[in-house]
Amino acid sequence: MKNKLRELRKNQKLTQEELANLIGISRQAINAIEKEKFDPSLPTAFKMSKLFKTPIEELFFFEGSK
């Protein structure tokens, strides 16, 4: 699954560590999600969506759907 996490994080001037602390996961998990090697759990996706004020469907999407 593709995502806009890195773009949104950088727009907010957050480091991976800061984002991880805000949503309660590890920096390594943020890195893996940004590199599209790992898909977050639904609760984590909702936390990211709320933090960035972006619908989940815009934050995460399947290749070819955007």
Side-chain angles (χ1 to χ4, degrees):
M1 186 169 11
K2 301 289 182 183
N3 69 73
K4 294 182 180 178
L5 185 58
R6 178 175 286 144
E7 173 186 335
L8 292 171
R9 177 180 60 77
K10 287 187 176 202
N11 286 343
Q12 295 290 321
K13 297 183 176 24
L14 293 170
T15 65
Q16 288 182 344
E17 187 73 34
E18 290 167 334
L19 176 56
N21 289 335
L22 286 171
I23 60 174
I25 64 174
S26 71
R27 184 207 55 82
Q28 292 86 349
I30 296 293
N31 186 45
I33 294 167
E34 286 185 355
K35 290 183 174 185
E36 300 171 350
K37 294 182 177 185
F38 176 76
D39 293 331
S41 68
L42 194 53
T44 297
F46 272 105
K47 289 177 186 177
M48 291 175 177
S49 174
K50 184 176 180 180
L51 178 70
F52 293 118
K53 298 180 176 87
T54 302
I56 288 177
E57 305 82 37
E58 290 183 23
L59 183 53
F60 298 97
F61 51 94
F62 289 106
E63 192 169 9
S65 67
K66 281 273 177 189

